[in-house]
Amino acid sequence: MSLVLTTASVPDRDKVAFWNDAVSRTLVPMTVAPRGAGPFAGRIATDRLGCLQVSTMEADAERVSRTPELIARSPEALVTVGVQVSGTATFVQDGRRAEVGEGDLVVYDTTRPYSFDYPQRFATHVFQLPRHALGVPDSDIRQVTGNAIGTGDGLGAMLRPFLAGLASSSAASPSGGYPPAVANRLAGNVVDLFATLITERAHPGGTDTDARSHLVVRVRDHINRNLGDPDLSPERIARSHRISVRYLHRLFEGEGTTVGALIRQRRLEECGRELARRGRTAPTVSAVAQRWGFVNPAHFSRAFRAAYGVSPREWRSLRTSQDAPAHPAVVAPEPGSGPERAADVHGADRQGG
């Protein structure tokens, strides 16, 4: 349901305090300091479309700041896209300063300090969404914050009328007049457009391929360093790299495997290598399996046989053969063992498949 907060009926002496509280509760906690001496006037209307919050704010001249102290007390990890409807603003984040004119877009991150300085009465649309929903690296977001995206600037030029219409529709009726299923789908489309906008701005020459390749290398290294953790999963990997699970799977679309399948493959390779070692004392098969992240022995045996063609014990018996390789190649996942199943490989390890 739409929420509208206005200073219209608030006594003059209480307007600033009321407005500070209204903005902080509606968006994120921040400090608001009026720039004029007279009675202050402000209005903010907010609605939700799925994971997307849509707000329209109109107010007299003011300065808005989100300080490190406020972030520490309320660390909401949100990415915000603002559309300047009227008036101007000076926006500062990440050491960059942008002069924002009518129709311009700005992107900012609520986990880092920022400020807006509005020298006269203004109106702006504010679109907020969880940062993880974007599915883009934090490094890309940092490259975009602190810059104004002009009305004739690439994707921003196409986004502006669409976002303005969306905000106006949301302000006109609860949930923008859309059924919940439509609202959720519409929010998903907006999220994808914002992710595309950020990627376009962060990699203007289409050079995001190198950035993606570098991130894939980092993810592979993370997997190799954490194979023994039974809770290693796409969800944990994505969280460690501050990207969404969806974006993580998208990174591996061109790798010939899935994240879950890669975890399973690397674990089996290390198990095969260790079981093939010669020595007077050898760890048990179950100890080897647990060392490399397999919790359920029965599941490990089935996975090992499926990959190597023999059981772990049979493979160990081959270690005395001079011709036996250190470990065979792991068979690629069968059709139908795609991201949905592979993504839960750590759960399957615990439950025996």
Side-chain angles (χ1 to χ4, degrees):
M1 179 177 293
S2 295
L3 173 67
V4 179
L5 298 173
T6 175
T7 60
S9 60
V10 178
D12 289 351
R13 66 179 181 277
D14 299 328
K15 288 183 186 295
V16 173
F18 173 88
W19 183 246
N20 209 319
D21 181 68
V23 171
S24 295
R25 286 194 295 118
T26 302
L27 303 177
V28 290
M30 59 185 74
T31 59
V32 182
R35 295 191 57 171
F40 184 84
R43 181 183 187 275
I44 185 167
T46 300
D47 196 14
R48 295 202 68 89
L49 291 173
C51 68
L52 182 70
Q53 178 172 293
V54 184
S55 304
T56 298
M57 181 168 59
E58 306 171 57
D60 288 335
E62 64 182 21
R63 177 179 172 80
V64 178
S65 303
R66 182 154 166 83
T67 63
E69 293 76 18
L70 289 172
I71 293 171
R73 294 204 300 266
S74 57
E76 294 92 341
L78 303 174
V79 169
T80 303
V81 175
V83 182
Q84 194 74 15
V85 178
S86 64
T88 62
T90 299
F91 170 56
V92 178
Q93 186 170 46
D94 295 332
R96 292 190 290 269
R97 178 189 182 97
E99 300 300 328
V100 185
E102 185 174 322
D104 289 349
L105 276 67
V106 289
V107 178
Y108 48 105
D109 187 335
T110 64
T111 63
R112 301 194 300 280
Y114 63 83
S115 67
F116 281 94
D117 194 0
Y118 300 98
Q120 69 264 349
R121 187 165 180 83
F122 70 95
T124 182
H125 298 314
V126 182
F127 300 84
Q128 290 182 317
L129 65 153
R131 187 171 61 188
H132 67 78
L134 275 173
V136 298
D138 278 0
S139 57
D140 284 5
I141 297 174
R142 283 180 178 269
Q143 290 187 57
V144 176
T145 55
N147 296 297
I149 303 173
T151 54
D153 197 349
L155 182 60
M158 295 185 291
L159 267 177
R160 180 183 176 276
F162 170 68
L163 294 177
L166 185 64
S168 299
S169 176
S170 295
S173 60
S175 299
Y178 302 110
V182 176
N184 287 332
R185 183 177 292 275
L186 186 58
N189 291 335
V190 174
V191 170
D192 286 341
L193 287 171
F194 285 170
T196 303
L197 174 68
I198 291 171
T199 300
E200 177 195 60
R201 300 291 299 183
H203 307 281
T207 57
D208 59 317
T209 300
D210 291 340
R212 289 183 177 219
S213 298
H214 179 67
L215 187 54
V216 169
V217 171
R218 286 171 48 202
V219 169
R220 285 181 175 271
D221 180 65
H222 180 89
I223 290 173
N224 288 333
R225 287 186 287 104
N226 293 276
L227 288 174
D229 181 359
D231 291 321
L232 181 66
S233 68
E235 290 75 16
R236 287 204 170 203
I237 295 169
R239 195 178 309 125
S240 296
H241 291 80
R242 305 189 76 171
I243 60 177
S244 70
V245 176
R246 181 177 63 174
Y247 185 72
L248 176 63
H249 286 311
R250 194 186 308 162
L251 285 173
F252 276 75
E253 286 177 354
E255 295 296 304
T257 187
T258 64
V259 180
L262 178 60
I263 294 172
R264 181 172 58 246
Q265 172 186 328
R266 290 293 298 117
R267 282 174 170 165
L268 290 172
E269 287 175 350
E270 293 302 329
C271 288
R273 181 179 292 110
E274 187 165 351
L275 288 171
R277 288 176 183 165
R278 299 175 179 83
R280 293 184 178 181
T281 59
T284 63
V285 170
S286 62
V288 171
Q290 289 183 4
R291 182 169 15 257
W292 294 107
F294 288 99
V295 175
N296 187 298
H299 170 70
F300 166 66
S301 294
R302 290 195 299 270
F304 195 95
R305 181 182 289 276
Y308 290 2
V310 295
S311 72
R313 296 184 187 281
E314 290 169 334
W315 172 239
R316 165 166 272 173
S317 70
L318 297 176
R319 75 188 188 279
T320 56
S321 171
Q322 296 296 321
D323 295 331
H327 64 86
V330 177
V331 177
E334 296 179 359
S337 59
E340 297 83 2
R341 179 175 177 178
D344 197 34
V345 63
H346 68 299
D349 290 345
R350 284 195 286 272
Q351 300 168 17

